[in-house]
Amino acid sequence: MPAPIAAASPLLEVERAEKPQPSPEFAAELGKKIGAGPTVVRAERTSLSERQAADALSNAWTQVTGQPPSQKTVAILTAQWSHETGGGRSMLNFNFGGIKGTGPSGLTAAYRTREGSGATERRIVDRFRAYQTAEEGAVDYVRLLTGRYTQAVEAMREGDPAGFVRGLKARGYFTGSEVAYTRSVVSKVNGMLGTGFDETGAGVVSSTPRPAESSQGFALSGLGWSGAPMGAEIAVGG
């Protein structure tokens, strides 16, 4: 049975927040002409607040599906983003879910991450999609969810965060404990529905590479998700 969501006051309408801007160094990389191959940019923190993430995800959902999301859908999307990025503080290059490969604009960033768990855990350097804006990253993220995780998306449409996590697990989105993942997402959803989105940490973008956290997940034809919970480290260079 899905974990129940406590009765809560209506979710506040997602407000437009000041858009976070990339640092001058990152912006310079974004301005380079993209050739036949991917453009490798530095791995950089692009922290968002819950409200900024919810705003971007709500707009992305509408753009991808053609319909505005419900309050619970926005809360579930934002809660899962929060779980995957350490509350947004460890978001890199506007990547909402640690998606590997090259972004739609041809940008990619390389950093160390952990794959597997327990005795099979190993550290590797891999490339992850990089985006020019939070809006671009959110759209790519929602497209991946709606394109591959149909069971999870249906549960999200129904306002069922536990079913959403179950659908992600069934399709190999993450390798860790489903119980712990569900507990985290359900708790975050309840908090967001009860008190609204947190606005702290908005637009905090660092110009210097620092250790960061990445999401759990799987390899989807070489362009999937990192395979370890919260453990990526930035690797300078390509």
Side-chain angles (χ1 to χ4, degrees):
M1 293 291 292
I5 299 178
S9 60
L11 190 67
L12 296 177
E13 181 179 359
V14 178
E15 299 174 353
R16 296 294 183 270
E18 182 179 353
K19 296 181 180 179
Q21 299 297 320
S23 68
E25 293 85 353
F26 187 36
E29 293 290 340
L30 296 177
K32 291 182 179 179
K33 181 178 180 180
I34 300 174
T39 298
V40 181
V41 297
R42 66 190 298 171
E44 178 180 11
R45 287 183 188 268
T46 49
S47 303
L48 300 178
S49 69
E50 286 181 1
R51 185 166 294 282
Q52 286 176 313
D55 188 10
L57 289 166
S58 178
N59 290 336
W61 180 273
T62 301
Q63 180 176 332
V64 172
T65 68
Q67 298 179 337
S70 68
Q71 295 177 342
K72 287 185 177 180
T73 293
V74 175
I76 292 172
L77 277 172
T78 307
Q80 200 257 344
W81 157 85
S82 178
H83 175 84
E84 290 288 333
T85 64
R89 294 179 297 277
S90 297
M91 189 180 194
L92 296 174
N93 303 93
F94 298 116
N95 191 323
F96 275 70
I99 311 173
K100 290 183 179 179
T102 302
S105 297
L107 304 179
T108 186
Y111 40 93
R112 286 185 292 272
T113 187
R114 293 197 301 265
E115 289 197 343
S117 60
T120 64
E121 181 178 301
R122 62 195 180 100
R123 288 179 179 272
I124 64 170
V125 174
D126 216 332
R127 291 189 177 183
F128 295 79
R129 299 184 193 184
Y131 305 92
Q132 300 184 51
T133 64
E135 289 74 17
E136 181 187 15
V139 167
D140 196 39
Y141 181 57
V142 171
R143 279 178 178 158
L144 182 61
L145 288 178
T146 57
R148 181 171 178 83
Y149 303 95
T150 54
Q151 178 184 341
V153 169
E154 285 308 307
M156 181 165 51
R157 290 179 188 273
E158 295 171 2
D160 178 6
F164 171 70
V165 173
R166 187 162 52 250
L168 294 180
K169 182 69 171 180
R171 294 291 290 168
Y173 181 94
F174 63 95
T175 59
S177 166
E178 181 179 342
V179 173
Y181 202 114
T182 300
R183 184 184 304 116
S184 172
V185 171
V186 170
S187 175
K188 290 176 182 295
V189 168
N190 285 335
M192 292 172 188
L193 290 173
T195 62
F197 298 117
D198 188 359
E199 298 192 36
T200 60
V204 179
V205 180
S206 171
S207 61
T208 304
R210 288 180 282 178
E213 297 175 343
S214 182
S215 66
Q216 299 178 337
F218 73 109
L220 173 58
S221 301
L223 300 177
W225 307 81
S226 63
M230 299 293 190
E233 298 174 351
I234 295 171
V236 178

